Amino acid sequence: MDKIYAMQLFVRVAELSSFSNAAESMGLPKGSVSRQIQALETELGTQLLHRTTRRVQLTQDGMVYYERAKDLLANIEALDGMFLHDPSSISGRLRVDMPVAVAKNLVIPRLPDFLQHYPGIELELSSSDRLVDVIREGFDCVVRVGTLKDSGLIARQLGRLSMINCASPDYLARFGYPESLEDLASHALVHYTVNLGARPQGFEVWLDKQTRWVKTGGILTVNSTETYHAACVAGLGIIQVPRVGVREALRNGKLVEILPQYRAEPMPVSLIYPHRRNLSRRVHLFMEWLSTVLKDYVDQ
């Protein structure tokens, strides 16, 4: 038995609380992962995992072994990478999550350069408006836009995205240009919420270092940033978005900026990752590259 390999499998199973998810994340059959863990437990003479039909949990010994194994694996990877200067020597799988707009507009156009420079890295890129569970779903790092909740994870703020208000030329031709906050009472807002059923708060304004909410009309609520943009282009109402996400639509005239004096608070952009001490070289390199890419679009 390759104990280091078995240890890597055990750590992934422990983090995902699932043999199936761990096997899928590593591109292996579930049976081979289970056999490796059983062999490791036999070698150690103790049970590391409680197995049920619904989930896998660490035993008391498993918790201790998990923490020590993470440290050991991190030290081995750091030691292996101490003298590596050839980009082709950096290899392994990266699992990353970021909002759809960030992936589509900012990261994907620059990604070929990174992957050509590090051909040994295999990237799994998740993009959705859903807040993923970094630990349970096995993500190495995620990009979050917006105010963070205290999650116990490491957060590195990269900057802030400037917000603007937009409407389509067709919408403005039908309903006119709002010039004051009072005018919004007779205008429609396309409402956005992650969870449908939540009550939209209205039009957001950042004034005197405080957020105000202005009530508006609007009968459409969406939970997708792509749909949010499409609804605005279709003339269904006003939206409030990071400028970087609508640059092309502004450039080609599909959208028009309105009420520049009444913008929402800039949105913070952060990199989230589980543990600083267990950061592999490939994760560190990707995060540094990502921060450089996003630096071109955020205000410091």
Side-chain angles (χ1 to χ4, degrees):
M1 180 188 66
D2 182 339
K3 187 174 283 188
I4 298 299
Y5 179 61
M7 200 180 294
Q8 291 171 330
L9 295 179
F10 163 72
V11 167
R12 183 53 64 95
V13 171
E15 289 177 341
L16 300 183
S17 301
S18 166
F19 281 98
S20 299
N21 292 344
E24 182 182 352
S25 73
M26 300 186 77
L28 297 170
K30 177 184 174 183
S32 68
V33 174
S34 181
R35 286 191 295 273
Q36 288 282 342
I37 303 301
Q38 287 175 352
L40 180 63
E41 289 177 321
T42 300
E43 176 85 8
L44 295 171
T46 188
Q47 185 179 356
L48 299 174
L49 299 164
H50 288 304
R51 299 156 173 85
T52 68
T53 55
R54 291 190 174 183
R55 64 178 304 179
V56 176
Q57 290 181 304
L58 290 167
T59 64
Q60 196 67 37
D61 286 345
M63 293 178 188
V64 175
Y65 192 77
Y66 170 68
E67 292 299 330
R68 297 291 182 87
K70 280 198 308 179
D71 287 343
L72 178 60
L73 292 172
N75 288 336
I76 289 173
E77 185 158 6
L79 187 61
D80 287 344
M82 279 182 67
F83 308 107
L84 295 178
H85 303 290
D86 180 5
S88 64
S89 65
I90 307 299
S91 63
R93 183 173 301 185
L94 273 175
R95 178 171 290 186
V96 181
D97 178 79
M98 61 188 66
V100 175
V102 172
K104 178 181 176 182
N105 299 318
L106 311 184
V107 174
I108 292 295
R110 303 271 290 274
L111 192 56
D113 291 339
F114 177 83
L115 295 178
Q116 287 168 16
H117 194 65
Y118 298 105
I121 290 180
E122 181 183 346
L123 182 63
E124 293 182 350
L125 178 57
S126 163
S127 300
S128 71
D129 291 345
R130 177 180 69 91
L131 292 182
V132 300
D133 188 318
V134 178
I135 301 296
R136 290 204 174 278
E137 298 181 56
F139 284 98
D140 294 298
C141 67
V142 305
V143 177
R144 292 263 168 90
V145 177
T147 303
L148 300 175
K149 295 180 180 179
D150 184 11
S151 62
L153 301 173
I154 308 298
R156 172 182 170 186
Q157 187 163 324
L158 301 179
R160 301 164 76 83
L161 293 176
S162 298
M163 302 291 289
I164 64 171
N165 311 306
C166 295
S168 72
D170 175 64
Y171 174 88
L172 296 172
R174 286 183 293 136
F175 299 103
Y177 282 72
E179 296 182 1
S180 68
L181 295 179
E182 290 72 23
D183 290 345
L184 290 173
S186 59
H187 280 269
L189 198 68
V190 179
H191 299 289
Y192 174 86
T193 178
V194 174
N195 301 307
L196 291 177
R199 187 180 181 87
Q201 292 182 282
F203 186 90
E204 180 183 346
V205 185
W206 179 248
L207 287 175
D208 301 323
K209 296 184 178 181
Q210 287 187 328
T211 295
R212 288 180 53 195
W213 297 95
V214 179
K215 189 173 181 180
T216 70
I219 57 174
L220 177 64
T221 301
V222 301
N223 66 347
S224 158
T225 52
E226 293 284 287
T227 306
Y228 189 56
H229 293 176
C232 187
V233 171
L236 292 168
I238 297 166
I239 62 173
Q240 298 185 280
V241 288
R243 177 182 290 277
V244 68
V246 291
R247 289 178 308 164
E248 187 60 31
L250 292 170
R251 193 178 299 125
N252 61 30
K254 289 184 178 180
L255 293 180
V256 177
E257 181 180 2
I258 60 172
L259 295 171
Q261 71 276 36
Y262 298 117
R263 293 178 178 171
E265 182 182 7
M267 298 183 74
V269 182
S270 307
L271 265 174
I272 310 295
Y273 51 100
H275 300 286
R276 183 178 285 111
R277 64 179 178 176
N278 293 318
L279 206 60
S280 71
R281 184 165 172 77
R282 62 181 176 276
V283 175
H284 176 76
L285 287 169
F286 182 78
M287 286 173 48
E288 289 305 311
W289 172 81
L290 197 57
S291 64
T292 300
V293 169
L294 297 181
K295 195 173 293 184
D296 293 339
Y297 304 100
V298 297
D299 301 323
Q300 300 303 312

